[in-house]
């Protein structure tokens, strides 16, 4: 999975095993404990990338199962499913590596 944080909450989304996943889970960084359901990504994806600006988390690219150009977002402080943000300029899998898309 790829992850994003607002400094208090870490959100993990996507991944594989078994099969491609669209689930997002979160943890509260200053406490110990198991991850809790946050919501779902629009697509089941593995090998994507994520980042945040401290309040909004973005997931982009990855394998679905072929490379994708999708970007999805969540507001990290609010439990919800991801929403469409737009597209990257070229479909990419495996993080930032060019997948020839």
């Amino acid at each position: 999975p790829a992850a994003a944080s607002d400094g208090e909450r870490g959100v993990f989304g996507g991944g594989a095993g078994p099969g491609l996943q669209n689930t997002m889970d979160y943890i509260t960084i200053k406490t110990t404990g198991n991850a809790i359901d946050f919501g779902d990504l629009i697509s089941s994806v593995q090998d994507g990338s994520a980042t945040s600006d401290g309040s909004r988390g973005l997931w982009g690219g990855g394998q679905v199962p072929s490379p994708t150009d999708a970007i999805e977002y969540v507001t990290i402080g609010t439990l919800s499913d991801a929403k469409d943000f737009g597209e990257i300029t070229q479909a990419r899998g495996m993080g930032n590596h060019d997948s020839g898309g």
Side-chain angles (χ1 to χ4, degrees):
S5 169
D6 66 0
E8 293 182 28
R9 178 180 283 173
V11 181
F12 306 85
L20 299 179
Q21 302 293 311
N22 73 332
T23 57
M24 292 186 291
D25 294 325
Y26 76 95
I27 57 166
T28 303
I29 294 171
K30 67 180 180 178
T31 64
T32 60
N34 295 330
I36 301 167
D37 182 48
F38 184 90
D40 292 328
L41 292 168
I42 297 168
S43 301
S44 296
V45 63
Q46 70 175 0
D47 299 327
S49 295
T51 191
S52 90
D53 67 355
S55 64
R56 179 178 278 188
L58 293 125
W59 278 256
Q63 302 289 120
V64 188
S66 59
T68 181
D69 65 355
I71 305 171
E72 304 175 23
Y73 77 95
V74 298
T75 301
I76 297 171
T78 305
L79 303 181
S80 70
D81 292 336
K83 296 171 184 63
D84 181 37
F85 185 87
E87 291 80 34
I88 54 179
T89 58
Q90 183 178 18
R92 298 185 183 270
M94 304 293 289
N96 295 321
H97 300 284
D98 183 351
S99 298

